[in-house]
Amino acid sequence: MCHTVRVQVKLSKSDQTGVFFPGNHEAEMCYGGEADLHKHVTGCKKNPGHKDFIPLKDFNESCLPSRYHDNNLMSETIKALAALTVQVKTKFTSLERPEFYPGTLVPYPCYNDRGRHVMRLGTGRVWRVDKYTESECDGTCHCAKCQFSATPSKVLWKVDVLTARHVVFDDSEARQTRCVLGFDDNKSPVVSLDGWKVEGRSDIERDWCRLSYVTCDLELVNELDNMCRRFHDLCREVWYKYMVFDDVDKLTVIVSHPHGCPKQVSVGQWTHRHRRDGWWTRYWYTTCTCPGSSGAAVYRIGCDGWWYDSFLYNHPHCGSNSEGNYSGEYLY
């Protein structure tokens, strides 16, 4: 049973400027391995019982305010987002992690774990798929199947995943990071991609990261590429229809893997934003998150969807502080 969000009306914009100080990050740390996860779920202090998370199989338009009940447009858009949402599992902490966030004395996540093999879980979203040339990827595919093959594929594809920088910091972590697709419930068949590198456009201060994975699975990349395009087209359609309500409802949806669990949908509102240098923004929202949600796409209905980029970027979820849950920085 979904609980319909009660939206407030005529909320005014609340742009803030000044220095941002990070709070608690929301990557799930598993010092005892995956065996820790059940303990983290049952002992969660942020959202005991997790009643505001909706399992993906239970999500439908009745979970949204009535004005968004429109021939399944919104539910199809959010299900497309869910299809691109992945669990990010890394098992190494880079020696290069800084002691503090840039320009602050706020401790940077996992600094004390540098060099250790500690499992860290977050969430990400498939952003785009591109074909690689041999020269761009050392000539042959090094996906899990090809690593142990005498004839690795020379036709390979790059799958880019967006997440938070504190989830996967650099190449040394990326090489020991697995991206799990299809984890919709505990019975879902999943596909795993092994990490390769962190793309150069990743940013520690804005706390977002673009990971690259490689695969020679043409069926998988066709499916992901089609879904990326579908999500982008649906977001544009939603934007044209609902942009007038962006600053009224401020409706914000997140699909994530809290505590490493199967995909959960949470619905809330963005409350205010921090603007820097005119373009860069960071959002706060009531949308429910937990450890394990770091890196999940923050989808602001009626606001995201018209991007100039070839595929849609979303602000990644990063953590929470005294003002609420907040995202990383991105444009607008």
Side-chain angles (χ1 to χ4, degrees):
M1 177 72 69
C2 290
H3 301 284
T4 301
V5 175
R6 294 186 179 183
V7 297
Q8 303 171 16
V9 296
K10 296 184 179 178
L11 292 173
S12 61
K13 285 185 179 179
S14 180
D15 282 358
Q16 301 177 356
T17 58
V19 179
F20 162 74
F21 289 98
N24 297 316
H25 73 87
E26 290 197 331
E28 181 72 279
M29 304 301 299
C30 301
Y31 292 95
E34 293 196 42
D36 276 356
L37 292 178
H38 178 71
K39 177 179 67 176
H40 292 169
V41 172
T42 57
C44 178
K45 295 181 180 179
K46 184 179 182 187
N47 295 295
H50 299 96
K51 60 183 178 62
D52 292 324
F53 286 105
I54 306 164
L56 180 60
K57 64 182 177 62
D58 296 332
F59 180 80
N60 55 57
E61 284 194 338
S62 70
C63 303
L64 300 170
S66 59
R67 80 160 102 243
Y68 299 91
H69 298 180
D70 182 15
N71 298 319
N72 293 318
L73 173 61
M74 277 313 317
S75 62
E76 288 302 309
T77 303
I78 293 167
K79 287 177 181 178
L81 171 61
L84 297 171
T85 297
V86 301
Q87 184 185 57
V88 179
K89 302 172 70 172
T90 186
K91 52 186 178 182
F92 179 70
T93 304
S94 172
L95 292 168
E96 301 303 317
R97 284 196 173 229
E99 185 174 3
F100 304 108
Y101 280 95
T104 77
L105 293 178
V106 179
Y108 193 75
C110 306
Y111 173 77
N112 292 329
D113 293 324
R114 290 174 304 153
R116 297 179 60 190
H117 287 81
V118 176
M119 179 171 287
R120 186 169 55 255
L121 298 176
T123 302
R125 176 176 77 81
V126 175
W127 176 59
R128 66 181 297 161
V129 175
D130 288 305
K131 190 172 182 179
Y132 257 149
T133 64
E134 291 183 26
S135 62
E136 289 176 304
C137 197
D138 302 325
T140 59
C141 182
H142 48 266
C143 70
K145 181 180 71 174
C146 287
Q147 283 181 11
F148 302 101
S149 171
T151 56
S153 175
K154 292 187 178 182
V155 179
L156 59 156
W157 299 78
K158 180 180 75 160
V159 179
D160 283 347
V161 171
L162 303 178
T163 187
R165 185 72 182 271
H166 70 264
V167 175
V168 182
F169 185 75
D170 61 13
D171 288 354
S172 68
E173 293 185 4
R175 286 190 290 269
Q176 299 193 55
T177 297
R178 177 161 289 177
C179 171
V180 182
L181 300 90
F183 188 22
D184 296 351
D185 58 48
N186 286 317
K187 297 181 180 179
S188 298
V190 300
V191 177
S192 295
L193 297 174
D194 291 315
W196 177 36
K197 67 177 182 178
V198 170
E199 292 286 355
R201 294 179 66 185
S202 300
D203 192 301
I204 182 175
E205 187 173 1
R206 299 184 175 106
D207 206 358
W208 58 271
C209 171
R210 199 171 104 200
L211 284 170
S212 285
Y213 295 81
V214 291
T215 182
C216 54
D217 186 337
L218 183 58
E219 182 178 353
L220 174 63
V221 297
N222 281 337
E223 180 181 345
L224 292 175
D225 188 45
N226 289 337
M227 189 56 67
C228 285
R229 295 176 189 280
R230 175 166 171 74
F231 178 55
H232 187 264
D233 291 343
L234 285 167
C235 285
R236 184 185 293 123
E237 188 175 346
V238 168
W239 181 71
Y240 279 118
K241 185 172 182 62
Y242 293 113
M243 62 180 174
V244 67
F245 301 120
D246 171 39
D247 287 322
V248 178
D249 296 340
K250 298 188 174 184
L251 196 61
T252 303
V253 176
I254 295 175
V255 182
S256 70
H257 289 278
H259 305 292
C261 291
K263 291 172 190 171
Q264 306 285 312
V265 182
S266 49
V267 182
Q269 295 173 281
W270 65 270
T271 57
H272 59 286
R273 63 190 164 203
H274 178 272
R275 187 179 295 276
R276 187 165 64 88
D277 297 335
W279 299 94
W280 297 97
T281 57
R282 185 186 305 273
Y283 284 82
W284 277 258
Y285 32 86
T286 63
T287 315
C288 198
T289 62
C290 267
S293 296
S294 272
V298 179
Y299 177 38
R300 294 162 298 128
I301 294 173
C303 185
D304 289 330
W306 58 276
W307 274 175
Y308 54 85
D309 222 332
S310 55
F311 289 111
L312 180 72
Y313 265 90
N314 299 97
H315 291 66
H317 172 66
C318 289
S320 63
N321 59 19
S322 60
E323 299 178 66
N325 297 328
Y326 64 85
S327 72
E329 256 187 13
Y330 203 66
L331 299 173
Y332 306 102

